[in-house]
Amino acid sequence: MDTLKIISDPVFGFIRIPRGLLYNIVEHPFFQRLNRINQLGLASVVYPSARHTRFQHSLGAFHLMSEAVRSLQEKGVYIFDSEAEAVEAAILMHDIGHGPFSHVLEHTLISGISHEDISLMMMEHINRDLNGQLNLAINIFKNQYPNKIFHQLISSQLDMDRLDYLRRDSFYTGVTEGNIGSARIIKMLNVKDEQLVVEAKGIYSIENFLTTRRLMYWQVYLHKTTVGYEKVLVNTLRRAKWLTWQGEQLFASPSLRYFLEHDIDAAWFEKQPEALQMYAELDDSDIWSALKAWKHAADPILRLLATDLLDRHLFHVEVREEPPTEEELEDLRTRLAETFGISKEDTDYLLTVAEIGKDMYNPADDSIGILYKDGTVKDIADASEILNVHLLSKKIRKYYLCYQRM
């Protein structure tokens, strides 16, 4: 039997997965589910080719982790084989708890629990299936392992997750300005005082990485059209859940129906063992198939919103520096109610104000250290000659006023 499974990847070329624990993770149904979840949610409404999956991203992050481990070992950083396998397993599973359409589900059909929390529950489930082989990987993922560089490689300002998604999302969206030198950054990684650092030769790659990340967030991830389209989906699911609670029998797959019928939060997941399995069966196809049926629903609001999503009728979106006034919102509610023949109360499904804040670099949270030949380490904020890290670390706040076109 071959000792490796080789997968051809358009971003990194061949990705090699050793048979054994890592291959068994990839073969697990929880991981295979990621094939049915788009990495960028509804961003394809702006970038039609951005239809790559969480499965592809997870394999890409695993590939970069393997490269990072090898690069650190070549520089004399001692890493046990068990540690290398564990950190590669952890990065493989870091996104396993994502729901359909990226983060949309976290704020609609479930509440008070993040995809990271669900990822951990899924990891523990897989660990039981694999007879405890993931104990070390889970400790690293939870940042409970003494050697902190491994958790930094999974979750930090400069982790393998970000290095993959920036490269991959740039490739599939065609936003070429988003391409980063991930290979060079990995080659420049080193360890100093038990912290992951970047050698001074890599400072320009880090400067590019930080500016690129800012560009990708505002040009792709938080593009106003994508945000507006996501709000249509959020409001559709909210309406479907409200109608279900009123006793309406809407078309839905068993897993989607489970989340429509119940008020599911962290406590529910803890007390109801079937919740995780139902979540594991939920993917993008459940939502799309429901929308096709809801387009013909008796309820006019659900019918309108489902049609919006299927036929690409986007909410009108205004991006503002200040929130809209209550007078503006009241005027909009009046016009929406008159146009669509609904109550003002129900216009909440056709009108959303989203407040979005994002900082691209937070030195107080988790800095990027630059290592010089004399052994000293400076934060990138002090080491960079061209970056205004003060501006990069400033939390930018924007208000998205989204509403049904009239």
Side-chain angles (χ1 to χ4, degrees), residues 184-201:
R184 179 163 177 78
I185 290 173
I186 286 172
K187 288 295 182 186
M188 293 298 107
L189 290 178
N190 211 324
V191 175
K192 175 72 173 177
D193 298 330
E194 300 182 344
Q195 291 292 312
L196 207 61
V197 294
V198 178
E199 294 170 359
K201 292 180 291 184

Side-chain angles (χ1 to χ4, degrees), residues 198-259:
V198 178
E199 294 170 359
K201 292 180 291 184
I203 190 169
Y204 302 120
S205 297
I206 301 302
E207 290 171 342
N208 179 58
F209 165 78
L210 290 172
T211 53
T212 293
R213 187 162 175 259
R214 178 179 181 275
L215 179 146
M216 287 294 287
Y217 264 90
W218 294 113
Q219 190 167 327
V220 178
Y221 308 132
L222 300 177
H223 190 288
K224 72 171 191 174
T225 303
T226 302
V227 171
Y229 202 38
E230 287 177 351
K231 295 309 175 189
V232 181
L233 178 57
V234 167
N235 290 353
T236 305
L237 293 172
R238 284 177 53 231
R239 184 65 176 181
K241 189 160 190 166
W242 183 83
L243 289 169
T244 300
W245 284 28
Q246 303 308 304
E248 296 234 9
Q249 293 297 309
L250 299 177
F251 173 87
S253 67
S255 53
L256 178 57
R257 181 173 302 284
Y258 182 85
F259 287 90

Side-chain angles (χ1 to χ4, degrees), residues 262-376:
H262 300 104
D263 187 15
I264 297 177
D265 56 12
W268 183 282
F269 269 100
E270 190 176 325
K271 295 174 183 175
Q272 305 292 335
E274 80 281 357
L276 188 64
Q277 190 59 48
M278 283 294 185
Y279 187 90
E281 293 179 10
L282 198 62
D283 56 52
D284 291 5
S285 59
D286 294 89
I287 308 296
W288 284 120
S289 59
L291 290 170
K292 288 167 71 176
W294 296 347
K295 184 178 179 179
H296 307 286
D299 179 69
I301 295 173
L302 184 64
R303 188 168 66 241
L304 173 65
L305 292 170
T307 301
D308 284 347
L309 286 160
L310 291 168
D311 297 346
R312 202 182 181 275
H313 298 158
L314 310 176
F315 273 8
H316 178 76
V317 181
E318 299 174 13
V319 182
R320 303 181 174 196
E321 300 299 320
E322 300 291 335
T325 65
E326 190 52 48
E327 290 76 15
E328 286 181 279
L329 294 177
E330 185 61 24
D331 178 61
L332 264 176
R333 291 188 189 100
T334 300
R335 288 162 53 204
L336 286 166
E338 291 173 352
T339 301
F340 296 100
I342 60 177
S343 67
K344 276 193 180 181
E345 182 181 340
D346 282 342
T347 60
D348 281 346
Y349 295 102
L350 306 184
L351 170 67
T352 300
V353 178
E355 180 183 340
I356 297 177
K358 193 70 186 176
D359 55 358
M360 294 301 121
Y361 180 67
N362 188 349
D365 176 35
D366 179 34
S367 63
I368 297 176
I370 304 298
L371 175 67
Y372 290 86
K373 288 184 178 179
D374 63 3
T376 59

Side-chain angles (χ1 to χ4, degrees), residues 7 13 28 39 113 123 139 157 181 248 286 295 306 319 356 389:
I7 296 173
H28 195 279
Q39 168 75 6
I113 185 168
M123 286 184 198
N139 279 341
Q157 294 273 3
E248 296 234 9
D286 294 89
K295 184 178 179 179
V319 182
I356 297 177
V389 180

Side-chain angles (χ1 to χ4, degrees), residues 386-403:
I386 64 168
L387 273 186
N388 188 332
V389 180
H390 173 70
L391 289 178
L392 275 176
S393 57
K394 179 183 177 184
K395 196 170 188 75
I396 299 172
R397 194 170 303 281
K398 296 183 180 180
Y399 298 88
Y400 291 65
L401 174 61
C402 316
Y403 56 90

Side-chain angles (χ1 to χ4, degrees), residues 7-37:
I7 296 173
S8 182
D9 179 65
V11 178
F12 297 121
F14 292 118
I15 295 177
R16 293 166 172 80
I17 305 170
R19 290 193 183 272
L21 175 61
L22 297 170
Y23 185 70
N24 290 340
I25 292 169
V26 173
E27 288 288 281
H28 195 279
F30 283 7
F31 193 87
Q32 288 294 317
R33 163 183 170 270
L34 299 179
N35 267 311
R36 304 187 298 276
I37 296 178

